[in-house]
Amino acid sequence: MIDSKFKIAILDDNIVDARIIEKYLRTNFPLALVELFENDSRMIKAISVDKYNCVLIDSHLNGCCVSEVIEKINNKNIRIPIIVMSGNTFDNNLCKEVIKIGAINFF
């Protein structure tokens, strides 16, 4: 069971999609703390200051590339599980790229 110390950061510039994911997590893991971020700078600042257990990142962000976000996290030496998610068609090349640079999963 996940306790209240389990914090999840969600980076998605589509607030509707982010809210759907947030609702799912809050329903299935009611003690987890879920925080939404619409831009990478705010999320990276938050996860570098506060303890998060996991980051979920949308694979198609406006204004930046998911690979760049992962590289920024790596460059700050933040060690956190990163999961990249896509509501679009599966992109095998992107999947391989983000796994290679540090994501633990792509779905």
Side-chain angles (χ1 to χ4, degrees):
M1 175 174 232
I2 295 176
D3 66 24
S4 62
K5 295 178 182 153
F6 196 89
K7 288 182 72 174
I8 303 167
I10 299 173
L11 174 59
D12 194 332
D13 55 358
N14 182 324
I15 194 65
V16 174
D17 290 347
R19 293 276 183 215
I20 291 169
I21 297 162
E22 176 187 35
K23 183 177 179 181
Y24 174 84
L25 291 170
R26 289 185 190 275
T27 300
N28 291 284
F29 307 102
L31 298 179
L33 301 172
V34 180
E35 190 165 356
L36 304 180
F37 297 92
E38 292 184 59
N39 72 61
D40 62 315
S41 298
R42 285 189 54 241
M43 189 221 34
I44 291 171
K45 182 177 180 181
I47 66 173
S48 65
V49 173
D50 203 0
K51 171 78 172 127
Y52 284 80
N53 300 91
C54 180
V55 174
L56 304 176
I57 304 175
D58 180 31
S59 64
H60 294 88
L61 299 167
N62 290 326
C64 68
C65 171
V66 66
S67 299
E68 292 172 5
V69 176
I70 295 170
E71 290 291 352
K72 289 178 186 178
I73 293 169
N74 292 341
N75 290 340
K76 292 215 174 252
N77 291 317
I78 301 168
R79 300 293 171 237
I80 188 168
I82 300 168
I83 299 170
V84 178
M85 49 191 180
S86 175
N88 300 314
T89 56
F90 186 80
D91 182 336
N92 195 45
N93 291 329
L94 180 59
C95 176
K96 288 178 184 177
E97 179 182 343
V98 298
I99 297 293
K100 183 178 179 181
I101 62 173
I104 62 166
N105 206 341
F106 184 105
F107 63 89

